[in-house]
Amino acid sequence: MKIAIIGSGITGLTAALSLAKSGHEVHIFEKSEKIGGIAETFDYHNYTLEKYYHHYFKSDENIIKLLKELNLDNDIRWLQSKMGYFTNNKMWDFGTPISLLKFKPLNFIDKIRFGISVLKIFSINNWSTLEHITAKDWIIKNAGENVYKKVWKPLLVTKFGDEHEDISMVWLWGKMKLRGKSKDNGKEVLGYIGGSNKTLLLKIMDSLQELGVKIHLNKEVKALTKNDTFEIVTKTANYNFDKVISTVSLPASLNIGQSILPKAYIKEKSRINYTATVCLILILKKTFSKYYWLNIGDESIPFGGLIEHTNLISPEEYGGDHILYISNYVFKNSNYYKMTKQELVKAYTANLKKINPDYSEDWIIDSFIFKDDFAQPVIKNNYSKIKPDFKTPVDGFFVANMCNIYPEDRGVNYAIRDGVKVAEEVLK
Ligand SMILES: Cc1cc2nc3c(=O)[nH]c(=O)nc-3n(C[C@H](O)[C@H](O)[C@H](O)COP(=O)(O)OP(=O)(O)OC[C@H]3O[C@@H](n4cnc5c(N)ncnc54)[C@H](O)[C@@H]3O)c2cc1C
């Protein structure tokens, strides 16, 4: 078979690997000049960074398996990470039983209720019992209003903005379950691929080339039509295929397939919304805090998390630079999404000072900004009823993207799993 894959993110790349290994002719169409999608990297001086911070969990079995297959299993390092929470104008240790005891924003009773509710989440295996309840309602019921307001609400707001009250408990369950399993001797560890995701992407690229996969970069797919075969339409040329997998976001896939997909299908799947992301990277002269991951629980601060990469991997590996990712999930109409890098640096300065009063713009050696329109699907109650299947109503046209991942939260591990699964579906 001659098979087209639209998009060269991790889903598209792993689908291509699977199909090419089965002996099919595979072409990847990618609108950008590089492969990798959201997991892409960039070179700076003599090191490489992810455009968006990336780490992996011990429970990410599909990544671990893929790294083994590509002889990269020794390249992933498992490291202890320090997590913090900024609230009440102070940074608090967070994420361990001892830090919970010292966390003053919650009173004694709230701490007990918080601890018990977290254990309850870990003990739930049948996620479908949570489908009908929002995270807000479940937390208030199981941990109380104060725990919701002090801990969870700010986190949900930073990820989902105005839609935070509608987020399903299944989403939070998926996220917590994953994280809870990433432990070595009872302590949380996170995985980081030496040399960044670039190490993985280069190895995948080599394997694809050995298998004869054709990668068309700078080739945005504009439309898809179908007669005897499918026709992929790009600005400069059209190409014919027996089967097509779209691994671009669901809205973009619906747009590409609009002339062949039934209207009712497009209407139903268009109900699934995404948040966008704007990520500012500051290369600093000094360390910003002692935390790798600092959640921001202060709603007056416009960003949701500070990820100081060089508190996971030593600054020595980055020529002494300190690397701070400022994570902000927003909707596309947000002012922060529209800002330029300079505007964002300015807008964030006073907020960074609230967290660390010593911080000054003089610390900045360099900065980078990355934006993506489709960063996180908004998972509401009873999502399983509208979750897309890999198969669309058009025979031979498949979709595989973050919206297919459920009850787990999106991530590279599940992109790999779904890349393999959608390939199996195509071959059935
Ligand atoms: C801020 C942030 C941090 C994250 N951190 C982590 C983490 O720590 N660990 C983890 O496991 N996961 C993390 N993730 C999630 C993870 O990166 C994604 O789940 C995964 O990379 C998605 O891969 P994908 O192939 O499904 O989609 P994408 O990476 O979005 O790939 C889609 C590709 O399609 C291309 N494309 C779009 N339209 C067209 C078109 N018309 N024609 C041709 N090509 C097109 C795009 O350019 C892109 O390359 C993070 C995500 C974000 C946003």
Side-chain angles (χ1 to χ4, degrees):
M1 278 190 294
K2 202 175 160 197
I3 303 165
I5 294 176
I6 311 173
S8 75
I10 299 289
T11 312
L13 294 174
T14 44
L17 267 181
S18 285
L19 291 167
K21 277 185 201 158
S22 310
H24 298 280
E25 182 181 335
V26 180
H27 292 238
I28 300 178
F29 293 86
E30 169 55 55
K31 79 169 174 188
S32 151
E33 58 184 17
K34 279 169 84 181
I35 63 163
I38 295 175
E40 201 193 312
T41 61
F42 65 100
D43 296 330
Y44 177 68
H45 291 169
N46 52 355
Y47 57 82
T48 306
L49 294 175
E50 278 78 16
K51 284 164 57 178
Y52 307 97
Y53 47 91
H54 270 74
H55 59 246
Y56 302 111
F57 297 120
K58 277 270 169 176
S59 48
D60 283 346
E61 52 191 24
N62 301 287
I63 296 180
I64 294 167
K65 187 165 167 244
L66 179 66
L67 291 173
K68 230 183 211 132
E69 278 167 23
L70 297 170
N71 286 325
L72 291 176
D73 39 336
N74 290 327
D75 288 59
I76 189 157
R77 289 186 259 170
W78 295 101
L79 304 145
Q80 279 181 19
S81 68
K82 205 157 174 53
M83 193 173 157
Y85 195 98
F86 180 80
T87 183
N88 292 7
N89 297 317
K90 193 174 158 5
M91 288 186 262
W92 305 84
D93 287 356
F94 204 69
T96 62
I98 292 178
S99 63
L100 178 61
L101 288 174
K102 294 183 181 162
F103 189 68
K104 290 209 177 115
L106 293 183
N107 65 33
F108 183 70
I109 302 285
D110 288 339
K111 282 177 193 171
I112 305 268
R113 295 193 78 186
F114 176 80
I116 291 175
S117 64
V118 168
L119 291 176
K120 187 165 176 189
I121 295 174
F122 289 151
S123 73
I124 295 172
N125 290 321
N126 183 4
W127 56 269
S128 62
T129 59
L130 302 172
E131 272 238 288
H132 63 285
I133 186 161
T134 62
K136 178 187 173 189
D137 289 345
W138 191 94
I139 294 160
I140 292 178
K141 189 169 161 213
N142 288 276
E145 191 94 33
N146 212 23
V147 171
Y148 174 69
K149 278 200 183 131
K150 293 264 167 61
V151 182
W152 293 110
K153 183 180 170 214
L155 298 183
L156 288 166
V157 169
T158 53
K159 196 112 198 201
F160 296 106
D162 289 346
E163 312 234 14
H164 68 276
E165 292 195 351
D166 296 334
I167 301 308
S168 168
M169 186 58 199
V170 177
W171 178 82
L172 190 62
W173 171 88
K175 220 162 171 61
M176 300 273 296
K177 249 326 222 204
L178 257 190
R179 205 164 180 140
K181 282 192 205 157
S182 196
K183 294 224 158 90
D184 243 359
N185 298 323
K187 294 221 165 110
E188 179 175 83
V189 285
L190 299 177
Y192 187 72
I193 300 176
S196 80
N197 280 342
K198 183 178 180 181
T199 309
L200 172 64
L201 291 169
L202 283 178
K203 205 61 186 251
I204 294 180
M205 184 89 155
D206 284 350
S207 302
L208 291 175
Q209 276 166 351
E210 263 170 42
L211 290 162
V213 173
K214 297 196 178 54
I215 304 175
H216 307 263
L217 296 174
N218 295 310
K219 273 269 184 261
E220 179 173 3
V221 175
K222 300 279 187 193
L224 182 66
T225 59
K226 189 181 182 196
N227 289 309
D228 291 341
T229 58
F230 287 98
E231 190 172 48
I232 291 257
V233 180
T234 73
K235 200 172 170 193
T236 48
N238 296 353
Y239 306 79
N240 285 91
F241 291 93
D242 300 310
K243 305 224 168 172
V244 175
I245 306 174
S246 175
T247 69
V248 307
S249 68
L250 186 61
S253 298
L254 297 176
N255 188 40
I256 286 170
Q258 64 179 298
S259 69
I260 53 171
L261 289 167
K263 289 210 166 33
Y265 175 83
I266 295 180
K267 193 172 168 205
E268 184 188 84
K269 302 307 171 206
S270 298
R271 284 168 48 204
I272 303 173
N273 198 6
Y274 283 74
T275 54
T277 190
V278 51
C279 188
L280 182 71
I281 306 176
L282 300 181
I283 313 287
L284 299 174
K285 290 177 198 158
K286 299 183 184 181
T287 183
F288 184 82
S289 84
K290 62 177 178 178
Y291 300 104
Y292 164 61
W293 192 284
L294 183 68
N295 282 314
I296 308 299
D298 176 333
E299 288 181 54
S300 72
I301 295 179
F303 44 81
L306 294 179
I307 295 94
E308 193 163 344
H309 178 68
T310 35
N311 285 341
L312 186 69
I313 307 292
S314 166
E316 280 169 27
E317 300 191 27
Y318 300 90
D321 293 348
H322 297 265
I323 294 146
L324 183 70
Y325 288 84
I326 306 179
S327 166
N328 200 353
Y329 285 87
V330 286
F331 287 97
K332 274 189 282 176
N333 56 3
S334 143
N335 283 340
Y336 290 101
Y337 196 66
K338 293 176 196 153
M339 283 184 189
T340 62
K341 185 178 79 176
Q342 285 73 16
E343 287 169 340
L344 214 53
V345 169
K346 273 218 148 29
Y348 284 175
T349 297
N351 294 291
L352 289 168
K353 272 177 178 292
K354 273 190 208 166
I355 302 167
N356 177 354
D358 292 338
Y359 170 77
S360 136
E361 266 191 63
D362 295 345
W363 290 15
I364 303 175
I365 300 168
D366 218 335
S367 56
F368 299 89
I369 187 173
F370 295 101
K371 298 180 186 184
D372 195 284
D373 287 0
F374 303 105
Q376 168 77 55
V378 178
I379 305 293
K380 298 188 179 171
N381 280 358
N382 300 309
Y383 182 78
S384 62
K385 298 214 166 51
I386 55 166
K387 181 186 116 151
D389 291 330
F390 294 131
K391 277 173 115 166
T392 71
V394 177
D395 195 24
F397 177 37
F398 300 80
V399 291
N401 53 60
M402 292 177 189
C403 299
N404 298 85
I405 301 168
Y406 181 79
E408 304 87 1
D409 186 31
R410 57 97 173 106
V412 168
N413 184 58
Y414 300 102
I416 295 171
R417 179 194 69 186
D418 282 8
V420 173
K421 273 189 169 179
V422 73
E424 283 167 9
E425 198 70 42
V426 169
L427 297 180
K428 263 183 197 168

